[in-house]
């Protein structure tokens, strides 16, 4: 098995933190295409988007960061750095470092929650918002697979067992996703969660999730009413399509697209369909202002 990303990445230093970013796709100066930022959720990384990025590479420049605690990004010691609102501010600083003033923001799972915080903080920088399986209310968290990571005494032992038995870690992740994936595919996610630093980053990230704060940010976004697309797998076992449709109805003019033939990892299971929906949505947004 290998742990290399199929698309090249680089490290960006923002707010004193190292964030690994995969950049791919067209050059804005040549195409005028609006940049797209792709945010992963738990327990994945920027790898989640690799096929979507390849499907969109001719039309748009894309940025897929690893959130703090995942992939190749830093695992800082201060737990407050992992909070979703803090991650949102960090992602905006990453975009500053990359000279991207405005973009369409796409988020899967808790990456979508980060995207909502970004929109609430800096709405002028978000040309459009795409949410995929994103929890935005306290009643949607924690999900059953996360519960062992929140129980004192059990959480450390749980992570330690995964570190000692990597094959167990793969089975745990697969079970939490209720999906069958090749070991090489799971390895991209699981490998980064192993080891002392990986386990600590995972626990700190999970412990820092605050969906009360997310609900407040979502209320602000509803009032701003940016162009919004909500994509949802019909077979998502963690958050029902009823909840996804509720989010779409929350935002005036939002588009609602349920997709069959996939589970929790919709961008990996149906990349061509996800790319098609994102491309159609972004095509309707205002083009980016190209700086001379």
């Amino acid at each position: 098995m290998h742990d290399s990303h199929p698309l090249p990445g680089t490290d960006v230093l923002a707010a004193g933190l190292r964030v690994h970013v995969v950049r791919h796709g067209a050059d804005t100066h040549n195409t005028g295409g609006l940049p797209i930022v792709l945010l992963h959720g738990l327990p994945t990384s920027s790898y989640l988007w690799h096929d979507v990025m390849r499907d969109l590479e001719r039309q748009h420049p894309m940025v897929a960061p690893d959130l703090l605690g995942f992939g190749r990004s830093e695992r800082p010691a201060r737990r407050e750095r992992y909070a979703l609102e803090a991650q949102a501010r960090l992602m905006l600083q990453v975009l500053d470092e990359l000279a991207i003033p405005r973009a369409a923001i796409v988020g899967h799972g808790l990456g979508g929650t980060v995207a909502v915080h970004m929109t609430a903080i800096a709405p002028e920088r978000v040309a459009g918002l795409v949410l995929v399986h994103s929890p935005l209310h306290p009643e949607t968290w924690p999900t059953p697979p996360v519960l062992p990571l929140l129980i004192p005494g059990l959480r450390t032992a749980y992570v330690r067992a995964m570190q000692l038995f990597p094959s167990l870690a793969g089975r745990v992740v697969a079970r939490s996703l209720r999906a069958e994936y090749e070991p090489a595919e799971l390895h991209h996610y699981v490998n980064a969660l192993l080891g002392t630093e990986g386990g600590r980053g995972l626990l700190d990230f999970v412990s820092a999730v605050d969906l009360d704060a997310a609900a407040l940010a979502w209320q602000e976004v509803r009032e701003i009413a940016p162009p919004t697309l909500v994509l949802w797998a019909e077979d998502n076992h963690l958050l029902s399509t009823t909840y996804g449709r509720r989010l779409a109805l929350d935002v005036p003019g939002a588009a609602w697209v349920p997709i069959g033939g996939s589970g929790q990892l919709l961008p990996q299971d149906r990349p061509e369909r996800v790319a098609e929906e994102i491309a159609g949505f972004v095509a309707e947004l205002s083009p980016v202002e190209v700086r001379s």
Side-chain angles (χ1 to χ4, degrees):
M1 294 186 294
H2 60 281
D3 60 0
S4 60
H5 197 291
L7 300 174
T10 187
D11 286 344
V12 174
L13 192 65
L17 294 168
R18 180 180 51 78
V19 178
H20 189 76
V21 174
V22 174
R23 301 188 72 179
H24 189 67
D27 185 333
T28 302
H29 290 273
N30 293 333
T31 67
L34 184 73
I36 300 174
V37 178
L38 300 156
L39 301 174
H40 68 88
L42 179 74
T44 61
S45 68
S46 57
Y47 179 81
L48 175 71
W49 300 104
H50 68 281
D51 282 332
V52 172
M53 296 178 85
R54 285 193 283 215
D55 284 348
L56 292 172
E57 64 188 2
R58 295 182 181 275
Q59 295 90 8
H60 297 277
M62 286 163 287
V63 173
D66 288 333
L67 295 176
L68 294 183
F70 296 95
R72 297 186 179 184
S73 286
E74 190 171 340
R75 275 97 167 136
R78 292 167 52 191
R79 185 171 293 179
E80 63 268 21
R81 298 276 191 136
Y82 295 88
L84 301 181
E85 183 176 354
Q87 299 247 23
R89 295 185 185 279
L90 178 64
M91 291 303 116
L92 289 167
Q93 289 175 295
V94 167
L95 297 185
D96 288 341
E97 295 296 326
L98 298 175
I100 298 176
R102 189 165 176 267
I105 312 294
V106 182
H108 175 265
L110 290 169
T113 317
V114 172
V116 165
H117 277 293
M118 292 174 69
T119 309
I121 294 165
E124 73 283 355
R125 302 192 62 178
V126 180
L129 178 65
V130 181
L131 300 177
V132 186
H133 304 166
S134 299
L136 296 172
H137 298 87
E139 63 268 24
T140 60
W141 180 267
T143 56
V146 172
L147 281 173
L149 300 177
L150 293 171
I151 300 173
L154 177 59
R155 49 190 252 130
T156 304
Y158 192 81
V159 170
R160 181 62 179 155
M162 290 197 294
Q163 293 168 352
L164 290 172
F165 306 102
S167 61
L168 169 64
R171 290 196 296 272
V172 167
V173 171
R175 193 180 308 117
S176 72
L177 299 171
R178 286 195 189 172
E180 295 292 333
Y181 292 105
E182 293 295 325
E185 287 293 299
L186 283 177
H187 183 68
H188 285 282
Y189 305 134
V190 172
N191 191 56
L193 302 178
L194 303 179
T196 303
E197 287 299 299
R200 183 177 59 78
L202 174 63
L203 292 178
D204 285 346
F205 181 92
V206 168
S207 299
V209 172
D210 180 358
L211 289 197
D212 287 312
L216 292 175
W218 180 237
Q219 183 59 44
E220 292 183 44
V221 170
R222 292 174 60 185
E223 294 172 4
I224 297 166
T228 301
L229 167 65
V230 181
L231 298 178
W232 224 263
E234 293 178 347
D235 299 326
N236 182 359
H237 66 286
L238 295 178
L239 289 172
S240 69
T241 51
T242 300
Y243 180 71
R245 184 167 178 78
R246 168 188 167 185
L247 296 184
L249 292 172
D250 273 349
V251 181
W256 161 246
V257 180
I259 297 176
S262 174
Q264 175 64 9
L265 294 191
L266 180 57
Q268 183 166 322
D269 294 339
R270 298 292 308 278
E272 74 296 331
R273 183 64 194 282
V274 171
E276 177 186 6
E277 294 296 340
I278 291 174
F281 172 73
V282 174
E284 300 297 321
L285 303 177
S286 301
V288 66
E289 295 181 8
V290 178
R291 295 174 174 177
S292 58

